[in-house]
């Protein structure tokens, strides 16, 4: 049987060998921590602590600001220094709760529960109160995703273990070291959907993960491991759904409209912890890697600590990096300062000694068609970028610009080094903002 995949895509240098064999190491921060109130799609969290309050790790410090929102929890014990503006990884000044770390790391008491004793409503509430959001990048509140209008129409729960973004190995290490937590999280989700089947989806460049998951799911008739062809962006939601189920969705649809729900590996583990252990989302695995990093590593770090401190924990830089990215090379954000906090969707710090993008100035399009050939959305990136650069909203929509998933494949293969994805992404943000106002 052929491996599951989609049309288009690319095969960039993986770079995973730098960190893949380094087990997850728990790191306890020394400095203050900053918790942005907007770490998810939807309304920002609303502070429920004030300056001078003493908090414990796991204690709620901000309530959900609406239905599409989640609470925020302290990840260390200490004292609230205040609520102030701090820079985030995208370069914006955002409201943050700042906590002075007492370095005692005392935790609040967590209320464990047995899955069989909980109703579906109680499960969803524990996920919400745990502050769980999509940790693969989007940051969508998980309790909302798991509460579609008609749960009976959900047929597939897809656990996204593709980790197709180059260099990042945090999901790989999670599946290798704690596969039972992934399975338990999926079993929790399946409890909410009576007629659904669970698929753990892993690329074929991780055969050891596939074996581990197959061993852990033996005897569970509702869970199956699916092997995907290694190709970027195999882990993008639309591509994953098509590869595994053959169903297509577009920008006007949700996965639930195709009978699917997709959650990242770490999100599924966070669900397990919140529901069964009563432990909120207050830490995450980050990969610190790149040819400028002294000791590439996978750390379990508290949310709120600075990227600089995480990089220092990996020994700092052996060579001066030309580019530092929060996330992976294809979809991450370039940093101009490391003094920004880790949030729930932070996946990696990538430090490179060469900035390939800055070295190559864009030139005129030669109409080679490579961008269209690799585009997983089967649209025309060069035309869309042209419409975006000229502010032609009508043509941008007519050529299906909103179907772009901003994966970066077109920019990667462009021989003219045109920044196609960046142009399209900017126009998409403008169009989405106008839709919200309308």
């Amino acid at each position: 049987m052929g491996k599951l995949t989609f049309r288009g895509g690319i095969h960039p240098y993986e770079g995973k060998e730098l960190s893949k064999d380094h087990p997850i190491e728990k790191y306890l921060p020394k400095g203050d921590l900053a918790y942005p109130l907007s770490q998810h799609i939807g309304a920002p969290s609303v502070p429920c602590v004030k300056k001078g309050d003493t908090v414990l790790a796991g204690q709620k410090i901000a309530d959900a600001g609406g239905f599409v929102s989640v609470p925020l929890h302290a990840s260390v014990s200490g004292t609230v220094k205040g609520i102030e503006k701090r820079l985030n990884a995208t370069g914006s000044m955002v409201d943050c709760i700042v906590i002075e770390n007492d370095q005692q790391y005392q935790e609040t008491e967590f209320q464990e529960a047995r899955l069989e004793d909980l109703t579906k409503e109680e499960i969803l509430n524990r996920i919400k109160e745990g502050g769980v959001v999509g940790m693969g990048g989007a940051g969508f509140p998980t309790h909302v995703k798991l509460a579609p209008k008609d749960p009976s129409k959900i047929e597939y729960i897809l656990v996204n273990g593709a980790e197709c973004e180059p260099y990042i190995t945090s999901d790989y290490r999670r599946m290798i070291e704690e596969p039972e937590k992934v399975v338990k999280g999926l079993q929790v989700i399946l409890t909410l959907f009576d007629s659904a089947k669970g698929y753990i989806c892993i690329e074929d460049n991780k055969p050891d993960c596939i074996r581990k998951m197959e061993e852990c799911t033996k005897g569970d008739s509702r869970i199956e491991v699916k092997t995907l062809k290694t190709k970027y962006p195999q882990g993008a939601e639309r591509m994953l759904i098509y590869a595994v189920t053959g169903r297509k969705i577009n920008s006007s649809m949700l996965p639930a409209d195709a009978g699917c729900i997709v959650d990242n590996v770490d999100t599924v583990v966070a669900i397990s912890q919140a529901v069964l252990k009563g432990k909120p989302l207050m830490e995450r695995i980050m990969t610190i890697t790149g040819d400028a990093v002294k000791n590439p590593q996978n750390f379990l770090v508290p949310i709120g600590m600075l990227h600089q401190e995480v990089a220092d924990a990996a020994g700092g830089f052996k060579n001066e990096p030309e580019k530092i990215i929060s996330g992976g090379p294809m979809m991450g954000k370039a940093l101009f300062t490391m003094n920004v906090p880790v949030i729930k969707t932070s996946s990696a710090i990538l430090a490179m000694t060469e900035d390939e993008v800055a070295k190559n100035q864009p030139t005129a399009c030669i109409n080679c068609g490579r961008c269209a050939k690799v585009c997983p959305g089967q649209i025309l990136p060069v035309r869309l970028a042209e419409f975006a650069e000229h502010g032609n909203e009508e043509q941008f929509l007519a050529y299906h610009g909103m179907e772009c998933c901003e994966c970066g494949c077109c920019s990667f293969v462009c021989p003219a080094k045109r920044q196609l994805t960046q142009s399209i992404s900017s126009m998409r943000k403008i169009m989405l903002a106008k839709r919200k106002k309308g």
Side-chain angles (χ1 to χ4, degrees):
M1 181 179 172
K3 297 182 181 74
L4 304 172
T5 190
F6 61 96
R7 179 184 168 186
I10 57 176
H11 296 86
Y13 166 63
E14 291 185 9
K16 295 181 185 285
E17 72 282 354
L18 293 172
S19 60
K20 70 183 287 288
D21 295 324
H22 293 269
I24 300 164
E25 187 178 314
K26 188 177 177 71
Y27 181 79
L28 297 176
K30 307 297 185 291
D32 294 349
L33 289 88
Y35 303 85
L37 296 174
S38 291
Q39 299 191 29
H40 53 268
I41 290 174
S45 305
V46 180
C48 58
V49 292
K50 62 184 185 301
K51 185 177 180 179
D53 285 354
T54 301
V55 298
L56 299 174
Q59 181 179 328
K60 188 191 293 186
I61 56 175
D63 287 307
F67 176 65
V68 184
S69 184
V70 291
L72 187 58
H73 302 80
S75 55
V76 296
S77 54
T79 305
V80 177
K81 294 180 73 173
I83 300 168
E84 55 192 65
K85 295 282 187 183
R86 291 285 183 95
L87 200 66
N88 69 7
T90 63
S92 302
M93 296 297 289
V94 296
D95 290 324
C96 296
I97 298 172
V98 181
I99 293 179
E100 183 178 0
N101 180 7
D102 64 11
Q103 297 188 39
Q104 299 300 308
Y105 310 108
Q106 295 175 302
E107 291 186 341
T108 189
E109 188 175 342
F110 303 122
Q111 300 297 319
E112 295 189 11
R114 296 194 314 164
L115 186 57
E116 55 267 32
D117 295 336
L118 299 172
T119 65
K120 293 179 180 180
E121 290 73 22
E122 287 170 336
I123 291 172
L124 287 170
N125 188 59
R126 286 175 79 87
I127 293 170
K128 178 183 178 180
E129 287 303 307
V132 182
V133 302
M135 297 169 72
F140 191 79
T142 302
H143 70 281
V144 179
K145 181 186 284 190
L146 297 180
K149 290 180 181 178
D150 189 352
S152 66
K153 290 186 177 178
I154 300 300
E155 298 176 69
Y156 304 108
I157 309 298
L158 308 183
V159 178
N160 188 352
E163 198 165 50
C164 61
E165 181 86 22
Y167 289 94
I168 303 177
T169 56
S170 54
D171 286 348
Y172 169 80
R173 291 309 314 178
R174 176 75 87 179
M175 290 187 286
I176 285 292
E177 297 181 45
E178 299 178 318
E180 68 287 341
K181 287 185 179 180
V182 179
V183 175
K184 283 181 181 177
L186 178 52
Q187 289 170 339
V188 170
I189 300 173
L190 288 170
T191 305
L192 299 171
F193 303 100
D194 300 330
S195 56
K197 189 171 175 87
Y199 291 146
I200 300 174
C201 311
I202 308 171
E203 284 190 330
D204 63 355
N205 64 349
K206 305 174 187 68
D208 43 357
C209 281
I210 293 170
R211 287 193 298 271
K212 282 260 186 184
M213 285 300 171
E214 286 177 339
E215 289 170 12
C216 283
T217 56
K218 272 182 183 175
D220 193 326
S221 60
R222 295 187 69 189
I223 300 178
E224 195 176 321
V225 178
K226 292 288 187 180
T227 301
L228 308 169
K229 184 177 180 180
T230 300
K231 182 168 63 169
Y232 180 85
Q234 187 70 261
E237 196 170 61
R238 294 185 208 175
M239 279 75 253
L240 186 67
I241 289 172
Y242 178 76
V244 177
T245 71
R247 299 179 180 182
K248 295 181 180 181
I249 61 170
N250 57 42
S251 61
S252 64
M253 299 169 65
L254 295 171
D257 296 327
C260 300
I261 285 176
V262 181
D263 272 315
N264 164 267
V265 163
D266 244 7
T267 309
V268 173
V269 172
I271 290 169
S272 166
Q273 294 293 92
V275 174
L276 304 178
K277 302 295 183 182
K279 190 173 181 178
L281 176 52
M282 56 182 185
E283 56 190 8
R284 67 155 301 134
I285 305 170
M286 286 186 75
T287 301
I288 294 68
T289 188
D291 61 354
V293 176
K294 188 173 183 180
N295 303 306
Q297 181 60 277
N298 294 288
F299 286 115
L300 181 65
V301 300
I303 287 160
M305 70 181 289
L306 295 181
H307 279 62
Q308 183 65 63
E309 191 173 356
V310 181
D312 289 343
F317 304 127
K318 60 183 179 183
N319 297 304
E320 187 65 27
E322 272 200 36
K323 175 169 275 191
I324 302 174
I325 298 171
S326 178
M330 301 301 295
M331 297 189 74
K333 305 294 182 186
L335 297 175
F336 59 87
T337 175
M338 294 281 280
N339 292 317
V340 295
V342 171
I343 62 173
K344 295 177 182 182
T345 56
S346 300
S347 60
I349 297 171
L350 174 59
M352 313 293 288
T353 55
E354 290 188 35
D355 186 347
E356 295 293 337
V357 175
K359 270 197 319 188
N360 296 286
Q361 290 299 315
T363 57
C365 172
I366 61 172
N367 293 311
C368 66
R370 292 183 193 177
C371 60
K373 185 177 181 181
V374 301
C375 177
Q378 297 176 39
I379 50 181
L380 297 173
V382 66
R383 295 288 170 263
L384 290 169
E386 185 181 323
F387 298 142
E389 287 160 8
H390 290 87
N392 192 334
E393 296 178 7
E394 185 179 338
Q395 286 293 86
F396 186 84
L397 289 175
Y399 276 71
H400 309 292
M402 301 309 289
E403 301 307 316
C404 172
C405 66
E406 302 180 22
C407 64
C409 287
C410 53
S411 297
F412 181 82
V413 300
C414 179
K417 307 300 178 186
R418 293 168 62 82
Q419 296 177 9
L420 304 171
T421 307
Q422 185 175 332
S423 298
I424 297 169
S425 176
S426 297
M427 178 60 92
R428 288 184 78 250
K429 285 182 174 65
I430 292 170
M431 301 301 290
L432 288 169
K434 287 187 175 182
R435 282 185 185 178
K436 282 183 181 178
K437 285 182 180 178

